[in-house]
Amino acid sequence: MPGMVLFGRRWAIASDDLVFPGLFELFLRVPCEIGILTLYLMHRAKRDCADGVSYLVSSYLISLIILLAVVICTVAAIVCVSMKGTICNPGPRKSMTKLLYIRLALFLPEMLWASLGAAWIAHGIRCDKTVENGIEITVIVRTQIWWSVTLQQVLPFSVSNRTISGITRSPAWAGLDSNTPAPICRSRTTEYDLIGGDPLNCHFGSILQTTGLQYRDFIHISFHDKVYELPFLVALDHRKESVVVAVRGTMSLQDILTDLSAESEVLDIQCEVQDCWAHKGISQAARYVYRRLINDGILSQAFSIAPEYQLVIVGHSLGGGAAALLAIMLRASYPQVRGYAFSPPRGLLSKSLYEYSKNFIVSVVLGKDVIPRLSVTNLEDLKKRILRVIANCNKPKYKILLQGCRYELFGVPDNSPTELDGDNQGDLTQPLLGEQSLLTHWSPAYSFSSDSPLDSPPKYPPLFPPGRIIHLEEEDTSGRFGWCSTAQYSAKWSHEAEFSKILIGPKMLTDHVPDVLMRALDSVVSDTAACISCPAQEVPNVDVA
């Protein structure tokens, strides 16, 4: 849907985007109108001032009531017109431009009238005659004008002020109260290698509290964070007899820039695999950690303490992708290395590297998490599907948003007929909304398919997630109530083809949060009936314990 044209230019807002802003304005305007009208009717018998003051006040209030009524009717008409039509059928909303011009034209007299009332309050209106109960008419006059000006001007600003005042506390202390133990902070010099972090070592204290390890178990901790350079730590897990290298995921602007470096580059490793391509930003980050581990002797120090331990590489999100590539790089020197990537990005490895990594890397994906389905080619596919669905949509935008909110809060799906039912399925295979120019002509990553007129090969080769994939699926979503639900999950082995499309849903982002993933893993592990169903064919020898 193109933006509306006002004052000779096109704006980044469509004619069907004004339903909820208009309802919010009505929510403020209608109580204001009712309040001023009530005050006028209650005190009209007490306005008998000399020198024409009573007449001026009455004229002011009546004009204000009429002006507000016109504004309310105009906004209500804007809301009603904005509800008409569909996303790609703006015909029923052709009168929206005129209504907006009327609404903007009412803005100037409204502000002048409110400024006049504010000036009267500032200078005061005197009247010597009093009523029976001895109350001065000045009080009544000022009260009426004060109410009118306050309800028009102060109320919207109070809402904005509440929004500004509602800024949460620092994430490091969010959720802490008097009953929550303070993080473990140390300021003394420690025996392990520590790079970066806060002066009191509270960041490291949170790691101790989360992992349950002791100070002597850590070999190296680095909070150094730049583009292509990720924080990581090396520790000894005596219970599993492992040297653990953990790489941190996306938590800063530098990490986001690393994620966005999504071009492919050749991965120079010592193995027999051909066509070793990988995500450029993540491979650079993995190479940085590799140099630190090998050149600085960090791994040598760890294995000098525990030579019989095995090497385990773990990470989440961006850290999961870097951990997988790091495990591939260290495979030649440490044949027993194991990699565990939690919610890694899909666009990571070439097909040959993906097959090679199945022997020693396991990925864990929760539900409809968008990151394990995210790649350049998948984004292009999502763009095509969104444009086609929008072009065939038979519902207005506000209904789609309300249905999404209802599903998020109450878990009630929309079972009414949609644009994808019946005969409309065939329409989705045709180029729509200028798809030729929007997608295929200008996009170098557009993958060739039967319905694509592009004959040249794509610029970006398709990339795949690392290793074998354990998919945690929610067993039953019916009857849930938003965040209050206690979801149950089951685990199964899945093929990478199940993550070849980006799924749109209310949990596509929340399923990527580490806390949600950990709760799902705890639910599967604690459930004695849960099991991992392995396919009968080609089961690599991978330790998932």
Side-chain angles (χ1 to χ4, degrees):
M1 176 65 196
M4 292 183 298
V5 177
L6 293 174
F7 304 109
R9 61 161 292 181
R10 187 175 298 278
W11 301 83
I13 183 173
S15 58
D16 56 350
D17 290 332
L18 301 177
V19 176
F20 297 109
L23 291 176
F24 180 73
E25 184 174 359
L26 289 177
F27 177 77
L28 300 179
R29 296 285 186 180
V30 172
C32 178
E33 173 79 349
I34 295 175
I36 295 175
L37 183 61
T38 302
L39 288 175
Y40 175 79
L41 296 176
M42 289 177 58
H43 299 287
R44 62 180 177 179
K46 302 177 183 180
R47 296 184 308 276
D48 192 16
C49 296
D51 300 330
V53 174
S54 175
Y55 174 77
L56 290 176
V57 173
S58 298
S59 301
Y60 173 81
L61 291 177
I62 292 174
S63 302
L64 185 62
I65 292 172
I66 295 174
L67 182 60
L68 279 177
V70 174
V71 171
I72 290 174
C73 292
T74 305
V75 175
I78 291 174
V79 172
C80 293
V81 172
S82 185
M83 289 180 175
K84 296 180 179 179
T86 61
I87 296 179
C88 291
N89 180 26
R93 302 190 296 270
K94 59 184 179 180
S95 60
M96 178 62 72
T97 303
K98 297 180 180 178
L99 291 174
L100 288 177
Y101 280 130
I102 295 174
R103 177 65 188 92
L104 293 174
L106 292 172
F107 179 76
L108 182 59
E110 184 182 4
M111 292 302 299
L112 291 177
W113 220 243
S115 301
L116 177 61
W120 281 6
I121 291 178
H123 293 85
I125 301 178
R126 298 298 305 172
C127 180
D128 296 328
K129 184 175 180 180
T130 58
V131 294
E132 282 186 24
N133 56 6
I135 301 176
E136 291 186 353
I137 300 300
T138 303
V139 177
I140 299 174
V141 172
R142 289 189 177 186
T143 301
Q144 291 174 338
I145 300 178
W146 180 85
W147 266 103
S148 64
V149 176
T150 301
L151 289 174
Q152 284 190 94
Q153 294 183 332
V154 177
L155 184 57
F157 287 102
S158 67
V159 175
S160 300
N161 182 60
R162 180 178 299 178
T163 303
I164 297 173
S165 301
I167 299 176
T168 58
R169 295 172 292 176
S170 171
W173 300 98
L176 295 181
D177 53 25
S178 58
N179 297 323
T180 304
I184 304 173
C185 302
R186 292 165 60 95
S187 58
R188 69 176 182 84
T189 305
T190 54
E191 298 176 356
Y192 45 81
D193 295 331
L194 178 62
I195 298 177
D198 60 299
L200 296 179
N201 291 344
C202 288
H203 292 166
F204 179 54
S206 65
I207 295 176
L208 288 172
Q209 189 172 6
T210 302
T211 61
L213 299 177
Q214 304 297 323
Y215 287 95
R216 63 178 180 273
D217 298 330
F218 289 88
I219 306 299
H220 183 87
I221 308 101
S222 174
F223 293 101
H224 174 76
D225 188 10
K226 287 186 177 181
V227 180
Y228 302 148
E229 298 178 2
L230 299 179
F232 69 97
L233 63 83
V234 180
L236 300 178
D237 186 350
H238 300 291
R239 188 171 64 90
K240 291 293 184 179
E241 296 186 349
S242 302
V243 174
V244 180
V245 179
V247 187
R248 200 193 72 182
T250 303
M251 289 191 65
S252 66
L253 177 60
Q254 293 87 344
D255 299 335
I256 294 176
L257 295 177
T258 302
D259 288 320
L260 293 178
S261 300
E263 296 183 357
S264 302
E265 73 170 9
V266 177
L267 190 65
D268 186 15
I269 56 175
Q270 299 176 0
C271 67
E272 66 280 1
V273 179
Q274 302 296 326
D275 298 328
C276 297
W277 293 84
H279 184 289
K280 178 180 178 180
I282 301 179
S283 65
Q284 293 284 347
R287 190 172 290 111
Y288 161 77
V289 179
Y290 176 86
R291 289 194 300 264
R292 295 290 310 279
L293 293 177
I294 300 301
N295 298 343
D296 295 352
I298 298 175
L299 283 184
S300 300
Q301 179 185 354
F303 282 104
S304 66
I305 298 175
E308 71 282 2
Y309 283 11
Q310 66 172 346
L311 179 61
V312 176
I313 318 291
V314 298
H316 174 266
S317 187
L318 169 62
L325 288 175
L326 184 60
I328 294 175
M329 295 176 183
L330 293 171
R331 174 76 167 172
S333 302
Y334 299 91
Q336 301 302 319
V337 65
R338 291 290 180 268
Y340 298 94
F342 297 93
S343 305
R346 173 179 176 82
L348 185 65
L349 303 175
S350 60
K351 182 69 173 179
S352 56
L353 273 181
Y354 158 68
E355 296 293 342
Y356 173 72
S357 65
K358 284 184 177 181
N359 296 319
F360 57 97
I361 296 177
V362 174
S363 295
V364 180
V365 178
L366 174 61
K368 296 182 178 180
D369 187 354
V370 65
I371 301 301
R373 297 172 170 85
L374 193 62
S375 66
V376 176
T377 52
N378 282 7
L379 283 176
E380 292 293 335
D381 174 74
L382 177 64
K383 186 195 299 183
K384 288 200 309 177
R385 289 189 286 137
I386 288 178
L387 288 175
R388 291 176 177 177
V389 169
I390 288 176
N392 288 269
C393 183
N394 56 13
K395 296 180 181 179
K397 189 182 297 181
Y398 81 96
K399 284 188 177 181
I400 298 175
L401 294 175
L402 289 177
Q403 289 166 359
C405 293
R406 182 180 65 174
Y407 179 77
E408 173 65 18
L409 293 175
F410 305 104
V412 180
D414 180 26
N415 296 322
S416 60
T418 66
E419 67 283 351
L420 301 180
D421 296 333
D423 299 333
N424 288 334
Q425 283 282 0
D427 296 337
L428 298 182
T429 62
Q430 304 300 323
L432 300 170
L433 285 180
E435 186 183 10
Q436 172 78 22
S437 59
L438 289 175
L439 296 177
T440 60
H441 183 68
W442 296 107
S443 176
Y446 188 89
S447 58
F448 179 77
S449 60
S450 59
D451 60 343
S452 171
L454 188 63
D455 295 327
S456 59
K459 177 180 178 181
Y460 301 113
L463 299 178
F464 301 86
R468 300 184 65 212
I469 302 173
I470 297 178
H471 191 198
L472 305 180
E473 294 182 307
E474 192 170 354
E475 291 181 340
D476 185 14
T477 58
S478 61
R480 69 184 182 93
F481 187 78
W483 56 87
C484 297
S485 63
T486 55
Q488 297 294 325
Y489 296 89
S490 60
K492 68 173 185 178
W493 291 108
S494 298
H495 192 267
E496 59 84 17
E498 299 183 26
F499 307 94
S500 59
K501 290 184 180 294
I502 297 176
L503 303 180
I504 305 298
K507 289 190 173 184
M508 60 184 296
L509 297 179
T510 57
D511 280 347
H512 188 68
V513 178
D515 291 346
V516 178
L517 176 60
M518 288 302 299
R519 286 197 295 268
L521 285 172
D522 292 339
S523 173
V524 172
V525 172
S526 61
D527 187 1
T528 56
C531 66
I532 300 177
S533 56
C534 300
Q537 71 278 8
E538 190 185 356
V539 180
N541 183 20
V542 180
D543 180 16
V544 297

mmCIF file of all heavy atoms in Angstrom, residues 10-44:
data_model
loop_
_atom_site.group_PDB
_atom_site.id
_atom_site.type_symbol
_atom_site.label_atom_id
_atom_site.label_comp_id
_atom_site.label_asym_id
_atom_site.label_seq_id
_atom_site.Cartn_x
_atom_site.Cartn_y
_atom_site.Cartn_z
ATOM 1 N N ARG A 10 4.628 12.566 -0.862
ATOM 2 C CA ARG A 10 4.129 11.278 -0.366
ATOM 3 C C ARG A 10 4.722 10.990 1.008
ATOM 4 O O ARG A 10 5.925 11.102 1.210
ATOM 5 C CB ARG A 10 4.500 10.147 -1.336
ATOM 6 C CG ARG A 10 3.859 8.811 -0.974
ATOM 7 C CD ARG A 10 4.149 7.765 -2.035
ATOM 8 N NE ARG A 10 3.594 8.118 -3.324
ATOM 9 C CZ ARG A 10 2.327 7.918 -3.676
ATOM 10 N NH1 ARG A 10 1.478 7.360 -2.810
ATOM 11 N NH2 ARG A 10 1.903 8.258 -4.870
ATOM 12 N N TRP A 11 3.853 10.603 1.943
ATOM 13 C CA TRP A 11 4.259 10.362 3.323
ATOM 14 C C TRP A 11 4.327 8.861 3.582
ATOM 15 O O TRP A 11 3.689 8.064 2.898
ATOM 16 C CB TRP A 11 3.279 11.020 4.291
ATOM 17 C CG TRP A 11 3.169 12.493 4.099
ATOM 18 C CD1 TRP A 11 2.386 13.148 3.188
ATOM 19 C CD2 TRP A 11 3.877 13.501 4.809
ATOM 20 N NE1 TRP A 11 2.558 14.493 3.289
ATOM 21 C CE2 TRP A 11 3.458 14.751 4.271
ATOM 22 C CE3 TRP A 11 4.806 13.491 5.838
ATOM 23 C CZ2 TRP A 11 3.957 15.959 4.740
ATOM 24 C CZ3 TRP A 11 5.300 14.693 6.311
ATOM 25 C CH2 TRP A 11 4.878 15.906 5.765
ATOM 26 N N ALA A 12 5.106 8.500 4.590
ATOM 27 C CA ALA A 12 5.298 7.078 4.930
ATOM 28 C C ALA A 12 4.169 6.585 5.818
ATOM 29 O O ALA A 12 4.392 5.957 6.863
ATOM 30 C CB ALA A 12 6.650 6.868 5.618
ATOM 31 N N ILE A 13 2.932 6.872 5.427
ATOM 32 C CA ILE A 13 1.762 6.393 6.159
ATOM 33 C C ILE A 13 0.642 6.193 5.153
ATOM 34 O O ILE A 13 0.461 7.008 4.235
ATOM 35 C CB ILE A 13 1.347 7.384 7.272
ATOM 36 C CG1 ILE A 13 0.162 6.822 8.068
ATOM 37 C CG2 ILE A 13 1.012 8.754 6.692
ATOM 38 C CD1 ILE A 13 -0.176 7.653 9.278
ATOM 39 N N ALA A 14 -0.074 5.092 5.268
ATOM 40 C CA ALA A 14 -1.143 4.763 4.335
ATOM 41 C C ALA A 14 -2.486 5.201 4.902
ATOM 42 O O ALA A 14 -2.620 5.533 6.083
ATOM 43 C CB ALA A 14 -1.141 3.263 4.038
ATOM 44 N N SER A 15 -3.493 5.200 4.046
ATOM 45 C CA SER A 15 -4.817 5.648 4.478
ATOM 46 C C SER A 15 -5.490 4.685 5.429
ATOM 47 O O SER A 15 -6.495 5.039 6.056
ATOM 48 C CB SER A 15 -5.711 5.864 3.241
ATOM 49 O OG SER A 15 -5.800 4.663 2.477
ATOM 50 N N ASP A 16 -4.978 3.451 5.566
ATOM 51 C CA ASP A 16 -5.567 2.505 6.516
ATOM 52 C C ASP A 16 -4.738 2.390 7.791
ATOM 53 O O ASP A 16 -4.923 1.447 8.565
ATOM 54 C CB ASP A 16 -5.716 1.129 5.872
ATOM 55 C CG ASP A 16 -4.406 0.583 5.320
ATOM 56 O OD1 ASP A 16 -3.432 1.361 5.278
ATOM 57 O OD2 ASP A 16 -4.360 -0.592 4.938
ATOM 58 N N ASP A 17 -3.825 3.336 8.022
ATOM 59 C CA ASP A 17 -2.997 3.325 9.235
ATOM 60 C C ASP A 17 -3.532 4.259 10.312
ATOM 61 O O ASP A 17 -2.856 4.462 11.322
ATOM 62 C CB ASP A 17 -1.557 3.751 8.900
ATOM 63 C CG ASP A 17 -0.823 2.709 8.076
ATOM 64 O OD1 ASP A 17 -1.163 1.518 8.216
ATOM 65 O OD2 ASP A 17 0.068 3.088 7.301
ATOM 66 N N LEU A 18 -4.719 4.836 10.131
ATOM 67 C CA LEU A 18 -5.207 5.876 11.037
ATOM 68 C C LEU A 18 -6.310 5.384 11.971
ATOM 69 O O LEU A 18 -6.910 6.196 12.670
ATOM 70 C CB LEU A 18 -5.726 7.071 10.221
ATOM 71 C CG LEU A 18 -4.696 7.713 9.291
ATOM 72 C CD1 LEU A 18 -5.344 8.825 8.478
ATOM 73 C CD2 LEU A 18 -3.514 8.248 10.076
ATOM 74 N N VAL A 19 -6.565 4.071 11.987
ATOM 75 C CA VAL A 19 -7.647 3.558 12.844
ATOM 76 C C VAL A 19 -7.278 3.708 14.313
ATOM 77 O O VAL A 19 -8.007 4.347 15.092
ATOM 78 C CB VAL A 19 -7.948 2.084 12.497
ATOM 79 C CG1 VAL A 19 -9.002 1.529 13.458
ATOM 80 C CG2 VAL A 19 -8.430 1.969 11.061
ATOM 81 N N PHE A 20 -6.165 3.158 14.702
ATOM 82 C CA PHE A 20 -5.787 3.185 16.117
ATOM 83 C C PHE A 20 -5.351 4.574 16.585
ATOM 84 O O PHE A 20 -5.720 4.975 17.697
ATOM 85 C CB PHE A 20 -4.693 2.145 16.377
ATOM 86 C CG PHE A 20 -5.142 0.736 16.119
ATOM 87 C CD1 PHE A 20 -4.670 0.029 15.026
ATOM 88 C CD2 PHE A 20 -6.072 0.121 16.944
ATOM 89 C CE1 PHE A 20 -5.095 -1.258 14.765
ATOM 90 C CE2 PHE A 20 -6.499 -1.169 16.699
ATOM 91 C CZ PHE A 20 -6.021 -1.861 15.608
ATOM 92 N N PRO A 21 -4.591 5.378 15.807
ATOM 93 C CA PRO A 21 -4.345 6.756 16.241
ATOM 94 C C PRO A 21 -5.625 7.570 16.389
ATOM 95 O O PRO A 21 -5.756 8.372 17.319
ATOM 96 C CB PRO A 21 -3.447 7.313 15.127
ATOM 97 C CG PRO A 21 -2.776 6.128 14.546
ATOM 98 C CD PRO A 21 -3.789 5.032 14.623
ATOM 99 N N GLY A 22 -6.588 7.361 15.475
ATOM 100 C CA GLY A 22 -7.850 8.085 15.594
ATOM 101 C C GLY A 22 -8.642 7.674 16.821
ATOM 102 O O GLY A 22 -9.235 8.519 17.510
ATOM 103 N N LEU A 23 -8.676 6.377 17.124
ATOM 104 C CA LEU A 23 -9.376 5.917 18.329
ATOM 105 C C LEU A 23 -8.721 6.464 19.592
ATOM 106 O O LEU A 23 -9.414 6.804 20.568
ATOM 107 C CB LEU A 23 -9.395 4.390 18.362
ATOM 108 C CG LEU A 23 -10.265 3.698 17.304
ATOM 109 C CD1 LEU A 23 -10.106 2.183 17.385
ATOM 110 C CD2 LEU A 23 -11.733 4.086 17.485
ATOM 111 N N PHE A 24 -7.400 6.563 19.589
ATOM 112 C CA PHE A 24 -6.709 7.125 20.755
ATOM 113 C C PHE A 24 -7.064 8.606 20.942
ATOM 114 O O PHE A 24 -7.284 9.064 22.066
ATOM 115 C CB PHE A 24 -5.203 6.964 20.588
ATOM 116 C CG PHE A 24 -4.401 7.522 21.734
ATOM 117 C CD1 PHE A 24 -4.363 6.868 22.951
ATOM 118 C CD2 PHE A 24 -3.711 8.714 21.592
ATOM 119 C CE1 PHE A 24 -3.632 7.383 24.009
ATOM 120 C CE2 PHE A 24 -2.976 9.241 22.636
ATOM 121 C CZ PHE A 24 -2.940 8.568 23.854
ATOM 122 N N GLU A 25 -7.144 9.355 19.845
ATOM 123 C CA GLU A 25 -7.525 10.765 19.965
ATOM 124 C C GLU A 25 -8.958 10.900 20.443
ATOM 125 O O GLU A 25 -9.271 11.775 21.259
ATOM 126 C CB GLU A 25 -7.346 11.471 18.623
ATOM 127 C CG GLU A 25 -7.631 12.968 18.698
ATOM 128 C CD GLU A 25 -7.319 13.703 17.423
ATOM 129 O OE1 GLU A 25 -6.853 13.067 16.461
ATOM 130 O OE2 GLU A 25 -7.552 14.935 17.394
ATOM 131 N N LEU A 26 -9.849 10.048 19.948
ATOM 132 C CA LEU A 26 -11.232 10.081 20.436
ATOM 133 C C LEU A 26 -11.297 9.745 21.918
ATOM 134 O O LEU A 26 -12.132 10.296 22.661
ATOM 135 C CB LEU A 26 -12.088 9.094 19.637
ATOM 136 C CG LEU A 26 -12.398 9.474 18.185
ATOM 137 C CD1 LEU A 26 -13.188 8.353 17.510
ATOM 138 C CD2 LEU A 26 -13.177 10.782 18.122
ATOM 139 N N PHE A 27 -10.449 8.855 22.362
ATOM 140 C CA PHE A 27 -10.406 8.497 23.776
ATOM 141 C C PHE A 27 -10.073 9.710 24.648
ATOM 142 O O PHE A 27 -10.522 9.808 25.797
ATOM 143 C CB PHE A 27 -9.367 7.387 23.989
ATOM 144 C CG PHE A 27 -9.176 6.984 25.419
ATOM 145 C CD1 PHE A 27 -10.094 6.179 26.068
ATOM 146 C CD2 PHE A 27 -8.063 7.411 26.130
ATOM 147 C CE1 PHE A 27 -9.917 5.811 27.389
ATOM 148 C CE2 PHE A 27 -7.869 7.045 27.437
ATOM 149 C CZ PHE A 27 -8.806 6.242 28.082
ATOM 150 N N LEU A 28 -9.296 10.649 24.111
ATOM 151 C CA LEU A 28 -8.971 11.869 24.849
ATOM 152 C C LEU A 28 -9.990 12.968 24.623
ATOM 153 O O LEU A 28 -10.326 13.725 25.550
ATOM 154 C CB LEU A 28 -7.580 12.367 24.433
ATOM 155 C CG LEU A 28 -6.399 11.418 24.678
ATOM 156 C CD1 LEU A 28 -5.115 12.059 24.176
ATOM 157 C CD2 LEU A 28 -6.268 11.085 26.155
ATOM 158 N N ARG A 29 -10.508 13.088 23.417
ATOM 159 C CA ARG A 29 -11.391 14.203 23.074
ATOM 160 C C ARG A 29 -12.783 14.068 23.681
ATOM 161 O O ARG A 29 -13.355 15.055 24.146
ATOM 162 C CB ARG A 29 -11.517 14.298 21.555
ATOM 163 C CG ARG A 29 -10.229 14.626 20.834
ATOM 164 C CD ARG A 29 -9.868 16.073 21.003
ATOM 165 N NE ARG A 29 -8.699 16.439 20.205
ATOM 166 C CZ ARG A 29 -8.176 17.640 20.174
ATOM 167 N NH1 ARG A 29 -8.698 18.599 20.924
ATOM 168 N NH2 ARG A 29 -7.127 17.900 19.424
ATOM 169 N N VAL A 30 -13.348 12.868 23.635
ATOM 170 C CA VAL A 30 -14.730 12.693 24.102
ATOM 171 C C VAL A 30 -14.873 13.016 25.591
ATOM 172 O O VAL A 30 -15.784 13.761 25.982
ATOM 173 C CB VAL A 30 -15.211 11.267 23.781
ATOM 174 C CG1 VAL A 30 -16.567 11.001 24.420
ATOM 175 C CG2 VAL A 30 -15.297 11.065 22.268
ATOM 176 N N PRO A 31 -14.006 12.496 26.493
ATOM 177 C CA PRO A 31 -14.128 12.924 27.902
ATOM 178 C C PRO A 31 -13.929 14.433 28.079
ATOM 179 O O PRO A 31 -14.560 15.043 28.949
ATOM 180 C CB PRO A 31 -13.011 12.131 28.600
ATOM 181 C CG PRO A 31 -12.769 10.955 27.729
ATOM 182 C CD PRO A 31 -12.983 11.445 26.344
ATOM 183 N N CYS A 32 -13.073 15.048 27.276
ATOM 184 C CA CYS A 32 -12.868 16.490 27.352
ATOM 185 C C CYS A 32 -14.154 17.234 27.004
ATOM 186 O O CYS A 32 -14.556 18.182 27.691
ATOM 187 C CB CYS A 32 -11.735 16.895 26.420
ATOM 188 S SG CYS A 32 -11.397 18.658 26.359
ATOM 189 N N GLU A 33 -14.809 16.806 25.926
ATOM 190 C CA GLU A 33 -16.072 17.435 25.523
ATOM 191 C C GLU A 33 -17.150 17.255 26.585
ATOM 192 O O GLU A 33 -17.886 18.197 26.928
ATOM 193 C CB GLU A 33 -16.517 16.824 24.191
ATOM 194 C CG GLU A 33 -17.892 17.251 23.714
ATOM 195 C CD GLU A 33 -17.877 18.619 23.081
ATOM 196 O OE1 GLU A 33 -16.859 19.335 23.179
ATOM 197 O OE2 GLU A 33 -18.895 18.999 22.484
ATOM 198 N N ILE A 34 -17.241 16.040 27.126
ATOM 199 C CA ILE A 34 -18.260 15.781 28.160
ATOM 200 C C ILE A 34 -17.990 16.614 29.403
ATOM 201 O O ILE A 34 -18.914 17.176 30.020
ATOM 202 C CB ILE A 34 -18.289 14.277 28.492
ATOM 203 C CG1 ILE A 34 -18.745 13.473 27.262
ATOM 204 C CG2 ILE A 34 -19.204 14.003 29.674
ATOM 205 C CD1 ILE A 34 -18.685 11.972 27.458
ATOM 206 N N GLY A 35 -16.724 16.730 29.804
ATOM 207 C CA GLY A 35 -16.389 17.509 30.995
ATOM 208 C C GLY A 35 -16.709 18.976 30.840
ATOM 209 O O GLY A 35 -17.281 19.611 31.754
ATOM 210 N N ILE A 36 -16.384 19.579 29.699
ATOM 211 C CA ILE A 36 -16.653 21.013 29.497
ATOM 212 C C ILE A 36 -18.153 21.264 29.411
ATOM 213 O O ILE A 36 -18.672 22.238 29.983
ATOM 214 C CB ILE A 36 -15.944 21.492 28.220
ATOM 215 C CG1 ILE A 36 -14.433 21.391 28.383
ATOM 216 C CG2 ILE A 36 -16.328 22.929 27.893
ATOM 217 C CD1 ILE A 36 -13.659 21.729 27.135
ATOM 218 N N LEU A 37 -18.865 20.376 28.711
ATOM 219 C CA LEU A 37 -20.309 20.542 28.610
ATOM 220 C C LEU A 37 -20.987 20.413 29.966
ATOM 221 O O LEU A 37 -21.924 21.164 30.300
ATOM 222 C CB LEU A 37 -20.878 19.515 27.629
ATOM 223 C CG LEU A 37 -22.380 19.588 27.345
ATOM 224 C CD1 LEU A 37 -22.739 20.937 26.740
ATOM 225 C CD2 LEU A 37 -22.807 18.455 26.414
ATOM 226 N N THR A 38 -20.514 19.489 30.781
ATOM 227 C CA THR A 38 -21.083 19.321 32.128
ATOM 228 C C THR A 38 -20.848 20.555 32.987
ATOM 229 O O THR A 38 -21.762 21.031 33.680
ATOM 230 C CB THR A 38 -20.468 18.081 32.795
ATOM 231 O OG1 THR A 38 -20.714 16.929 31.994
ATOM 232 C CG2 THR A 38 -21.063 17.865 34.180
ATOM 233 N N LEU A 39 -19.648 21.098 32.952
ATOM 234 C CA LEU A 39 -19.360 22.314 33.720
ATOM 235 C C LEU A 39 -20.199 23.490 33.248
ATOM 236 O O LEU A 39 -20.686 24.298 34.059
ATOM 237 C CB LEU A 39 -17.871 22.649 33.614
ATOM 238 C CG LEU A 39 -16.911 21.744 34.371
ATOM 239 C CD1 LEU A 39 -15.469 22.130 34.055
ATOM 240 C CD2 LEU A 39 -17.151 21.835 35.869
ATOM 241 N N TYR A 40 -20.381 23.590 31.937
ATOM 242 C CA TYR A 40 -21.179 24.706 31.411
ATOM 243 C C TYR A 40 -22.622 24.612 31.885
ATOM 244 O O TYR A 40 -23.228 25.610 32.296
ATOM 245 C CB TYR A 40 -21.109 24.686 29.891
ATOM 246 C CG TYR A 40 -21.989 25.722 29.238
ATOM 247 C CD1 TYR A 40 -21.602 27.053 29.169
ATOM 248 C CD2 TYR A 40 -23.232 25.370 28.702
ATOM 249 C CE1 TYR A 40 -22.416 28.012 28.577
ATOM 250 C CE2 TYR A 40 -24.050 26.310 28.110
ATOM 251 C CZ TYR A 40 -23.642 27.638 28.055
ATOM 252 O OH TYR A 40 -24.459 28.578 27.482
ATOM 253 N N LEU A 41 -23.204 23.412 31.849
ATOM 254 C CA LEU A 41 -24.601 23.250 32.261
ATOM 255 C C LEU A 41 -24.772 23.402 33.765
ATOM 256 O O LEU A 41 -25.791 23.915 34.242
ATOM 257 C CB LEU A 41 -25.117 21.888 31.807
ATOM 258 C CG LEU A 41 -25.186 21.665 30.282
ATOM 259 C CD1 LEU A 41 -25.629 20.235 29.971
ATOM 260 C CD2 LEU A 41 -26.123 22.675 29.628
ATOM 261 N N MET A 42 -23.794 22.968 34.544
ATOM 262 C CA MET A 42 -23.914 23.043 35.996
ATOM 263 C C MET A 42 -23.833 24.473 36.513
ATOM 264 O O MET A 42 -24.480 24.825 37.507
ATOM 265 C CB MET A 42 -22.813 22.193 36.652
ATOM 266 C CG MET A 42 -23.003 20.697 36.499
ATOM 267 S SD MET A 42 -21.627 19.772 37.210
ATOM 268 C CE MET A 42 -21.672 20.367 38.900
ATOM 269 N N HIS A 43 -23.051 25.330 35.867
ATOM 270 C CA HIS A 43 -22.791 26.659 36.400
ATOM 271 C C HIS A 43 -23.343 27.786 35.545
ATOM 272 O O HIS A 43 -22.972 28.938 35.731
ATOM 273 C CB HIS A 43 -21.266 26.859 36.541
ATOM 274 C CG HIS A 43 -20.623 25.891 37.466
ATOM 275 N ND1 HIS A 43 -20.769 25.946 38.829
ATOM 276 C CD2 HIS A 43 -19.833 24.810 37.217
ATOM 277 C CE1 HIS A 43 -20.093 24.967 39.391
ATOM 278 N NE2 HIS A 43 -19.512 24.259 38.433
ATOM 279 N N ARG A 44 -24.236 27.486 34.600
ATOM 280 C CA ARG A 44 -24.742 28.561 33.758
ATOM 281 C C ARG A 44 -25.620 29.540 34.533
ATOM 282 O O ARG A 44 -25.742 30.708 34.154
ATOM 283 C CB ARG A 44 -25.537 27.986 32.591
ATOM 284 C CG ARG A 44 -26.774 27.198 32.984
ATOM 285 C CD ARG A 44 -27.467 26.685 31.748
ATOM 286 N NE ARG A 44 -28.625 25.871 32.088
ATOM 287 C CZ ARG A 44 -29.433 25.314 31.183
ATOM 288 N NH1 ARG A 44 -29.166 25.493 29.895
ATOM 289 N NH2 ARG A 44 -30.461 24.596 31.552
#
